[in-house]
Amino acid sequence: MLTLYHSPMSRSTRVLALINALNLRDEIEIVTVVIKRQDGSGHHDPANPHPEGKVPLLVTEDGEQIRESNAIMLYLTDRFGSCGRGVGAAGRGAYLSWMTWYGNVFEPVYVIGVAHKMAAEMSGEAPPENPVFTTTWRTIPDALAVLETALSDGRPFLMGEDMTAADLLICSTYFWFGAPDVPVVAAWVARCAALECVKASVAFDEAQMAKQTAR
């Protein structure tokens, strides 16, 4: 049996949503662990085999460890043949590009953008933009423009009519930061949030958080 090391309301929640979409909840063991949080809570959980104490981590039947959300999600969609584009399938290139764009561009852009905003709020003035960051990863408006262009033809999801792991991966950022003020992207965020697989993952996490609070 595959095992997912998971912590509620974290980056592994999107992997849990994909597991729901693939109807694999009975085939993958979910092990809930504690992680360090940005507010200073949590700790390195000895029950978590992730080398950095993070989540998600997927362990295969033969003990192989797969970490990083996009790697895990690519593995699952390739192995189980749904919610993605398999090797040799039409759209494979676009699917791989979205899955890797998230970690290589999109998330760094948002992390840097939020850090920039926090620095501005603390100092009372916006710090100068670092050209290394803006030329390597661009900016939040640039990233939004990529999404807006992809969705502006009326397609409901990034790859077309069907939801893929790329939607679950990239859209998860907006579940934390809120939908952007770009109508076509905001509508896509709302569609993703309304997916049963996403709602089920949130419900699972809320139940897990309640258990941890009760302890």
Side-chain angles (χ1 to χ4, degrees), residues 117-191:
K117 181 180 179 181
M118 290 174 63
E121 291 173 349
M122 292 174 64
S123 66
E125 60 182 29
E129 289 189 340
N130 188 322
V132 174
F133 295 155
T134 55
T135 56
T136 302
W137 296 293
R138 307 298 189 265
T139 64
I140 289 177
D142 292 329
L144 277 171
V146 172
L147 292 172
E148 184 177 23
T149 299
L151 296 163
S152 62
D153 62 358
R155 64 179 61 192
F157 298 105
L158 293 175
M159 292 296 298
E161 294 298 318
D162 59 317
M163 178 277 296
T164 68
D167 297 288
L168 298 177
L169 177 64
I170 297 169
C171 193
S172 65
T173 297
Y174 296 116
F175 297 159
W176 294 103
F177 296 118
D181 190 21
V182 178
V184 68
V185 180
W188 165 71
V189 172
R191 277 192 297 276

Coordinates of all heavy atoms in Angstrom, one line a residue, residues 117-191:
K117 N 5.8 42.4 0.4 CA 4.7 43.2 1.0 C 4.8 43.3 2.5 O 4.6 44.4 3.1 CB 3.4 42.5 0.7 CG 2.1 43.2 1.2 CD 0.9 42.4 0.9 CE -0.4 43.1 1.4 NZ -1.6 42.4 1.1
M118 N 5.2 42.2 3.2 CA 5.4 42.3 4.6 C 6.5 43.2 5.0 O 6.4 44.0 6.0 CB 5.8 40.9 5.1 CG 4.6 39.9 5.1 SD 5.1 38.2 5.5 CE 5.6 38.4 7.2
A119 N 7.6 43.3 4.2 CA 8.7 44.2 4.5 C 8.2 45.6 4.3 O 8.6 46.5 5.1 CB 9.9 43.9 3.5
A120 N 7.4 45.9 3.4 CA 6.9 47.2 3.1 C 6.0 47.6 4.3 O 6.0 48.8 4.8 CB 6.1 47.3 1.8
E121 N 5.2 46.7 4.8 CA 4.3 47.0 5.9 C 5.1 47.3 7.2 O 4.7 48.2 8.0 CB 3.3 45.9 6.1 CG 2.3 45.7 5.0 CD 1.4 44.5 5.2 OE1 1.8 43.6 6.0 OE2 0.4 44.4 4.4
M122 N 6.2 46.6 7.4 CA 7.0 46.8 8.6 C 7.8 48.1 8.6 O 7.9 48.7 9.6 CB 7.9 45.6 8.8 CG 7.2 44.3 9.1 SD 8.3 42.9 9.1 CE 9.4 43.3 10.5
S123 N 8.3 48.4 7.4 CA 9.1 49.6 7.3 C 8.4 50.9 6.9 O 8.9 52.0 7.1 CB 10.2 49.4 6.3 OG 9.7 49.3 5.0
G124 N 7.2 50.7 6.4 CA 6.4 51.9 6.0 C 6.7 52.3 4.6 O 6.1 53.3 4.1
E125 N 7.6 51.7 3.9 CA 7.9 52.0 2.5 C 8.3 50.7 1.8 O 8.9 49.8 2.4 CB 9.0 53.0 2.4 CG 10.3 52.6 3.0 CD 11.3 53.7 3.0 OE1 11.0 54.9 2.9 OE2 12.5 53.4 2.9
A126 N 8.0 50.7 0.5 CA 8.3 49.5 -0.3 C 9.8 49.4 -0.6 O 10.4 50.4 -1.0 CB 7.5 49.6 -1.6
P127 N 10.4 48.2 -0.2 CA 11.8 48.1 -0.6 C 12.0 48.0 -2.1 O 11.1 47.6 -2.8 CB 12.2 46.7 0.1 CG 10.9 46.0 0.2 CD 9.8 47.1 0.4
P128 N 13.2 48.3 -2.6 CA 13.4 48.2 -4.0 C 13.3 46.8 -4.5 O 13.7 45.9 -3.8 CB 14.8 48.8 -4.2 CG 15.5 48.6 -2.9 CD 14.4 48.8 -1.9
E129 N 12.8 46.7 -5.7 CA 12.7 45.3 -6.3 C 14.1 44.8 -6.6 O 14.9 45.5 -7.1 CB 11.8 45.3 -7.6 CG 10.3 45.5 -7.3 CD 9.5 45.3 -8.5 OE1 10.0 45.4 -9.6 OE2 8.3 45.1 -8.4
N130 N 14.3 43.5 -6.4 CA 15.5 42.9 -6.7 C 15.5 42.4 -8.1 O 14.7 41.5 -8.4 CB 15.8 41.7 -5.7 CG 17.2 41.1 -5.8 OD1 17.7 41.0 -6.9 ND2 17.8 40.8 -4.7
P131 N 16.3 42.9 -9.0 CA 16.3 42.5 -10.4 C 16.6 41.0 -10.6 O 16.2 40.4 -11.6 CB 17.3 43.4 -11.1 CG 18.2 43.8 -10.0 CD 17.4 43.9 -8.8
V132 N 17.3 40.4 -9.7 CA 17.6 39.0 -9.7 C 16.3 38.2 -9.7 O 16.0 37.2 -10.4 CB 18.6 38.5 -8.6 CG1 18.7 37.0 -8.7 CG2 19.9 39.2 -8.8
F133 N 15.4 38.6 -8.7 CA 14.2 37.9 -8.6 C 13.2 38.2 -9.7 O 12.6 37.3 -10.3 CB 13.5 38.4 -7.3 CG 14.2 38.0 -6.0 CD1 14.0 38.8 -4.8 CD2 15.0 36.9 -6.0 CE1 14.7 38.4 -3.7 CE2 15.7 36.5 -4.8 CZ 15.5 37.3 -3.7
T134 N 13.1 39.5 -10.1 CA 12.1 39.8 -11.1 C 12.5 39.3 -12.5 O 11.6 39.1 -13.4 CB 11.9 41.3 -11.2 OG1 13.2 42.0 -11.4 CG2 11.3 41.8 -9.9
T135 N 13.8 39.2 -12.8 CA 14.2 38.6 -14.1 C 14.2 37.1 -14.1 O 14.0 36.5 -15.2 CB 15.6 39.1 -14.6 OG1 16.5 38.8 -13.5 CG2 15.5 40.6 -14.8
T136 N 14.4 36.5 -13.0 CA 14.4 35.0 -12.9 C 13.0 34.5 -12.8 O 12.6 33.6 -13.6 CB 15.2 34.6 -11.7 OG1 16.6 35.1 -11.8 CG2 15.3 33.0 -11.6
W137 N 12.2 35.0 -11.9 CA 10.9 34.5 -11.7 C 9.7 35.4 -12.1 O 8.6 35.0 -12.1 CB 10.7 34.1 -10.2 CG 11.6 33.0 -9.8 CD1 11.6 31.7 -10.1 CD2 12.6 33.2 -8.8 NE1 12.6 31.0 -9.5 CE2 13.2 31.9 -8.7 CE3 13.2 34.2 -8.1 CZ2 14.3 31.6 -7.8 CZ3 14.2 34.0 -7.2 CH2 14.8 32.7 -7.1
R138 N 10.1 36.6 -12.5 CA 9.1 37.7 -12.8 C 8.4 38.1 -11.6 O 8.9 38.1 -10.5 CB 8.1 37.2 -14.0 CG 8.8 36.7 -15.2 CD 9.7 37.7 -15.9 NE 10.2 37.2 -17.2 CZ 11.4 36.7 -17.4 NH1 12.2 36.5 -16.3 NH2 11.8 36.3 -18.6
T139 N 7.1 38.6 -11.8 CA 6.3 39.2 -10.7 C 5.0 38.5 -10.6 O 4.6 37.7 -11.5 CB 6.2 40.7 -10.9 OG1 5.4 40.9 -12.1 CG2 7.5 41.4 -11.0
I140 N 4.2 38.8 -9.5 CA 2.9 38.3 -9.4 C 2.0 38.7 -10.6 O 1.3 37.8 -11.1 CB 2.3 38.7 -8.0 CG1 3.0 37.9 -6.9 CG2 0.8 38.4 -8.0 CD1 2.5 38.3 -5.5
P141 N 2.0 39.9 -11.0 CA 1.2 40.3 -12.2 C 1.6 39.5 -13.4 O 0.7 39.1 -14.2 CB 1.5 41.8 -12.4 CG 1.8 42.3 -11.0 CD 2.6 41.2 -10.4
D142 N 2.9 39.2 -13.6 CA 3.3 38.4 -14.7 C 2.8 37.0 -14.6 O 2.3 36.4 -15.6 CB 4.9 38.3 -14.8 CG 5.5 39.6 -15.1 OD1 4.9 40.4 -15.8 OD2 6.6 39.9 -14.6
A143 N 2.8 36.4 -13.4 CA 2.3 35.0 -13.2 C 0.8 35.0 -13.5 O 0.2 34.1 -14.1 CB 2.6 34.5 -11.8
L144 N 0.1 36.0 -13.0 CA -1.4 36.1 -13.2 C -1.7 36.2 -14.7 O -2.7 35.7 -15.2 CB -2.0 37.3 -12.5 CG -2.3 37.1 -11.0 CD1 -2.6 38.4 -10.3 CD2 -3.4 36.1 -10.8
A145 N -0.9 36.9 -15.4 CA -1.1 37.1 -16.9 C -1.0 35.8 -17.6 O -1.7 35.5 -18.5 CB -0.1 38.1 -17.4
V146 N -0.1 34.9 -17.1 CA 0.0 33.6 -17.7 C -1.3 32.8 -17.5 O -1.8 32.2 -18.5 CB 1.2 32.8 -17.1 CG1 1.2 31.4 -17.6 CG2 2.5 33.5 -17.5
L147 N -1.8 32.8 -16.3 CA -3.0 32.1 -16.0 C -4.2 32.7 -16.8 O -5.1 32.0 -17.3 CB -3.3 32.1 -14.5 CG -2.4 31.3 -13.6 CD1 -2.7 31.6 -12.2 CD2 -2.5 29.8 -13.9
E148 N -4.2 34.1 -16.8 CA -5.3 34.7 -17.5 C -5.3 34.4 -19.0 O -6.4 34.1 -19.6 CB -5.2 36.3 -17.3 CG -6.4 37.0 -17.9 CD -6.2 38.5 -17.7 OE1 -5.1 39.0 -17.4 OE2 -7.3 39.2 -17.8
T149 N -4.2 34.4 -19.6 CA -4.1 34.0 -21.0 C -4.6 32.6 -21.3 O -5.3 32.3 -22.2 CB -2.6 34.2 -21.5 OG1 -2.2 35.5 -21.4 CG2 -2.5 33.7 -23.0
A150 N -4.2 31.7 -20.4 CA -4.5 30.3 -20.5 C -6.0 30.0 -20.4 O -6.6 29.2 -21.1 CB -3.8 29.4 -19.5
L151 N -6.7 30.8 -19.6 CA -8.1 30.6 -19.3 C -9.0 31.6 -20.1 O -10.3 31.4 -20.0 CB -8.4 30.9 -17.8 CG -7.7 29.9 -16.8 CD1 -7.6 30.4 -15.4 CD2 -8.4 28.5 -16.9
S152 N -8.5 32.5 -20.8 CA -9.3 33.5 -21.5 C -10.1 33.0 -22.7 O -10.9 33.7 -23.2 CB -8.4 34.7 -21.9 OG -7.4 34.2 -22.9
D153 N -9.8 31.8 -23.1 CA -10.5 31.2 -24.3 C -11.8 30.5 -23.8 O -12.5 29.9 -24.6 CB -9.7 30.2 -25.1 CG -9.2 29.0 -24.3 OD1 -9.6 28.9 -23.1 OD2 -8.6 28.1 -24.9
G154 N -12.1 30.6 -22.5 CA -13.4 30.1 -22.0 C -13.3 28.7 -21.4 O -14.3 28.1 -20.9
R155 N -12.1 28.1 -21.5 CA -11.9 26.7 -20.9 C -12.1 26.8 -19.4 O -11.7 27.7 -18.8 CB -10.5 26.2 -21.3 CG -9.4 27.0 -20.7 CD -8.0 26.4 -21.0 NE -7.8 26.4 -22.4 CZ -6.8 25.7 -23.0 NH1 -6.0 25.0 -22.3 NH2 -6.6 25.8 -24.3
P156 N -12.7 25.8 -18.8 CA -13.0 25.8 -17.4 C -11.7 25.5 -16.6 O -11.6 25.9 -15.4 CB -14.1 24.7 -17.2 CG -13.9 23.8 -18.4 CD -13.5 24.7 -19.5
F157 N -10.8 24.7 -17.2 CA -9.6 24.3 -16.4 C -8.4 24.5 -17.3 O -8.5 24.7 -18.5 CB -9.7 22.9 -16.0 CG -10.9 22.6 -15.0 CD1 -12.0 22.0 -15.4 CD2 -10.8 23.1 -13.7 CE1 -13.1 21.8 -14.6 CE2 -11.8 22.9 -12.8 CZ -13.0 22.2 -13.3
L158 N -7.2 24.4 -16.7 CA -6.0 24.8 -17.4 C -5.7 23.9 -18.7 O -5.2 24.4 -19.7 CB -4.8 24.7 -16.5 CG -4.7 25.7 -15.3 CD1 -3.6 25.4 -14.4 CD2 -4.6 27.1 -15.8
M159 N -6.1 22.7 -18.6 CA -5.9 21.8 -19.7 C -7.1 21.6 -20.6 O -7.1 20.9 -21.6 CB -5.5 20.4 -19.2 CG -4.1 20.4 -18.6 SD -2.7 20.8 -19.7 CE -2.9 19.5 -20.9
G160 N -8.2 22.3 -20.3 CA -9.4 22.3 -21.1 C -10.6 22.0 -20.3 O -10.9 22.6 -19.3
E161 N -11.4 21.0 -20.8 CA -12.7 20.7 -20.2 C -12.6 20.0 -18.9 O -13.4 20.0 -18.0 CB -13.6 20.0 -21.1 CG -14.0 20.8 -22.4 CD -14.8 22.0 -22.0 OE1 -15.7 21.9 -21.1 OE2 -14.6 23.1 -22.6
D162 N -11.5 19.2 -18.7 CA -11.4 18.3 -17.6 C -10.4 18.9 -16.6 O -9.3 19.4 -17.0 CB -11.0 16.9 -18.0 CG -9.7 16.8 -18.7 OD1 -9.5 17.7 -19.6 OD2 -8.9 15.9 -18.5
M163 N -10.7 18.7 -15.3 CA -9.8 19.1 -14.3 C -8.6 18.1 -14.2 O -8.7 16.9 -14.4 CB -10.5 19.1 -12.9 CG -9.6 19.4 -11.7 SD -8.7 18.0 -11.0 CE -10.0 16.9 -10.5
T164 N -7.4 18.7 -14.0 CA -6.2 17.8 -13.9 C -5.5 18.2 -12.6 O -5.8 19.2 -11.9 CB -5.2 18.0 -15.0 OG1 -4.7 19.3 -15.0 CG2 -5.9 17.8 -16.4
A165 N -4.5 17.4 -12.3 CA -3.6 17.7 -11.1 C -3.0 19.1 -11.2 O -2.7 19.7 -10.1 CB -2.5 16.7 -10.9
A166 N -2.8 19.6 -12.4 CA -2.3 21.0 -12.5 C -3.2 22.0 -11.9 O -2.7 23.0 -11.3 CB -2.0 21.3 -14.0
D167 N -4.5 21.9 -12.0 CA -5.4 22.8 -11.4 C -5.3 22.7 -9.9 O -5.3 23.7 -9.2 CB -6.8 22.5 -11.9 CG -7.0 22.6 -13.4 OD1 -7.1 23.8 -13.8 OD2 -7.1 21.6 -14.1
L168 N -5.3 21.5 -9.4 CA -5.3 21.3 -7.9 C -4.0 21.9 -7.3 O -4.0 22.5 -6.3 CB -5.4 19.8 -7.6 CG -6.7 19.2 -8.0 CD1 -6.7 17.7 -7.6 CD2 -7.9 19.8 -7.4
L169 N -2.9 21.7 -8.0 CA -1.6 22.2 -7.6 C -1.5 23.7 -7.6 O -1.2 24.3 -6.5 CB -0.5 21.6 -8.5 CG 0.9 22.0 -8.2 CD1 1.4 21.5 -6.8 CD2 1.9 21.5 -9.2
I170 N -1.8 24.3 -8.7 CA -1.6 25.7 -8.9 C -2.6 26.5 -8.1 O -2.3 27.5 -7.4 CB -1.5 26.1 -10.3 CG1 -0.3 25.4 -11.0 CG2 -1.5 27.6 -10.5 CD1 -0.4 25.5 -12.6
C171 N -3.9 26.1 -8.2 CA -5.0 26.8 -7.5 C -4.8 26.8 -6.0 O -5.4 27.7 -5.3 CB -6.3 26.2 -7.9 SG -7.7 27.2 -7.5
S172 N -4.1 25.8 -5.5 CA -4.0 25.7 -4.0 C -3.4 27.0 -3.4 O -3.7 27.3 -2.2 CB -3.2 24.5 -3.6 OG -1.8 24.6 -4.0
T173 N -2.6 27.7 -4.1 CA -2.0 28.9 -3.6 C -3.1 29.9 -3.3 O -3.0 30.6 -2.2 CB -1.1 29.6 -4.7 OG1 0.0 28.7 -5.0 CG2 -0.5 30.9 -4.3
Y174 N -4.1 30.0 -4.1 CA -5.2 31.0 -3.8 C -6.1 30.5 -2.7 O -6.9 31.4 -2.2 CB -6.0 31.2 -5.1 CG -5.1 31.9 -6.1 CD1 -4.8 31.2 -7.3 CD2 -4.5 33.1 -5.9 CE1 -4.0 31.8 -8.3 CE2 -3.7 33.7 -6.9 CZ -3.5 33.0 -8.1 OH -2.6 33.6 -9.0
F175 N -6.1 29.3 -2.3 CA -6.9 28.9 -1.1 C -6.3 29.5 0.2 O -6.9 29.6 1.2 CB -6.9 27.4 -1.0 CG -7.6 26.7 -2.1 CD1 -7.3 25.3 -2.4 CD2 -8.5 27.3 -3.0 CE1 -8.0 24.7 -3.5 CE2 -9.1 26.7 -4.0 CZ -8.9 25.4 -4.3
W176 N -5.0 29.9 0.1 CA -4.3 30.5 1.2 C -4.4 32.1 1.1 O -4.6 32.7 2.1 CB -2.8 30.1 1.2 CG -2.6 28.7 1.5 CD1 -2.3 27.7 0.7 CD2 -2.7 28.0 2.8 NE1 -2.2 26.5 1.3 CE2 -2.5 26.6 2.6 CE3 -3.1 28.5 4.1 CZ2 -2.5 25.7 3.7 CZ3 -3.1 27.5 5.1 CH2 -2.8 26.2 4.9
F177 N -4.1 32.6 -0.1 CA -4.0 34.0 -0.3 C -5.3 34.7 -0.8 O -5.4 35.9 -0.8 CB -2.9 34.3 -1.3 CG -1.5 33.9 -0.8 CD1 -0.8 33.0 -1.5 CD2 -1.0 34.5 0.4 CE1 0.5 32.6 -1.1 CE2 0.3 34.1 0.8 CZ 1.0 33.2 0.1
G178 N -6.3 33.9 -1.1 CA -7.5 34.5 -1.6 C -7.5 34.6 -3.2 O -6.4 34.8 -3.7
A179 N -8.6 34.6 -3.8 CA -8.7 34.7 -5.3 C -8.2 36.1 -5.7 O -8.4 37.1 -5.1 CB -10.1 34.5 -5.7
P180 N -7.5 36.2 -6.8 CA -6.9 37.4 -7.3 C -8.0 38.3 -8.0 O -9.1 37.8 -8.3 CB -5.9 37.0 -8.3 CG -6.4 35.7 -8.9 CD -7.1 35.0 -7.7
D181 N -7.7 39.5 -8.1 CA -8.7 40.5 -8.7 C -8.6 40.4 -10.3 O -8.4 41.5 -10.9 CB -8.4 41.9 -8.2 CG -9.6 42.8 -8.6 OD1 -10.7 42.4 -8.9 OD2 -9.3 44.1 -8.6
V182 N -8.7 39.2 -10.8 CA -8.6 39.0 -12.2 C -9.8 38.1 -12.5 O -9.8 36.9 -12.1 CB -7.3 38.4 -12.7 CG1 -7.4 38.1 -14.2 CG2 -6.1 39.2 -12.4
P183 N -10.9 38.6 -13.1 CA -12.2 37.8 -13.2 C -12.0 36.4 -13.7 O -12.6 35.4 -13.0 CB -13.0 38.7 -14.1 CG -12.6 40.0 -13.8 CD -11.1 39.9 -13.7
V184 N -11.3 36.2 -14.8 CA -11.3 34.8 -15.3 C -10.5 33.9 -14.4 O -10.8 32.7 -14.3 CB -10.7 34.9 -16.7 CG1 -9.2 35.2 -16.7 CG2 -10.9 33.5 -17.4
V185 N -9.5 34.4 -13.7 CA -8.7 33.6 -12.8 C -9.5 33.3 -11.5 O -9.5 32.2 -11.0 CB -7.3 34.2 -12.5 CG1 -6.6 33.4 -11.5 CG2 -6.5 34.4 -13.7
A186 N -10.2 34.4 -11.0 CA -11.0 34.2 -9.8 C -12.1 33.2 -10.1 O -12.5 32.4 -9.2 CB -11.6 35.5 -9.4
A187 N -12.7 33.2 -11.3 CA -13.8 32.2 -11.6 C -13.2 30.8 -11.6 O -13.8 29.8 -11.1 CB -14.4 32.5 -12.9
W188 N -12.0 30.6 -12.1 CA -11.3 29.3 -12.1 C -11.0 28.8 -10.7 O -11.2 27.7 -10.3 CB -10.0 29.4 -12.9 CG -9.0 28.3 -12.7 CD1 -9.1 27.0 -13.2 CD2 -7.7 28.4 -12.1 NE1 -8.0 26.3 -12.8 CE2 -7.2 27.1 -12.2 CE3 -7.0 29.4 -11.5 CZ2 -5.9 26.8 -11.7 CZ3 -5.8 29.1 -10.9 CH2 -5.2 27.9 -11.0
V189 N -10.6 29.8 -9.8 CA -10.4 29.4 -8.4 C -11.6 28.9 -7.7 O -11.6 27.9 -7.0 CB -9.8 30.7 -7.6 CG1 -9.7 30.4 -6.1 CG2 -8.4 31.0 -8.2
A190 N -12.7 29.6 -8.0 CA -14.0 29.2 -7.5 C -14.4 27.8 -8.0 O -15.0 27.0 -7.2 CB -15.1 30.2 -7.8
R191 N -14.2 27.5 -9.2 CA -14.5 26.2 -9.8 C -13.7 25.1 -9.1 O -14.2 24.1 -8.7 CB -14.3 26.2 -11.3 CG -15.4 26.7 -12.1 CD -15.2 26.4 -13.6 NE -14.0 27.0 -14.2 CZ -14.0 28.2 -14.6 NH1 -15.0 29.0 -14.6 NH2 -12.9 28.7 -15.2

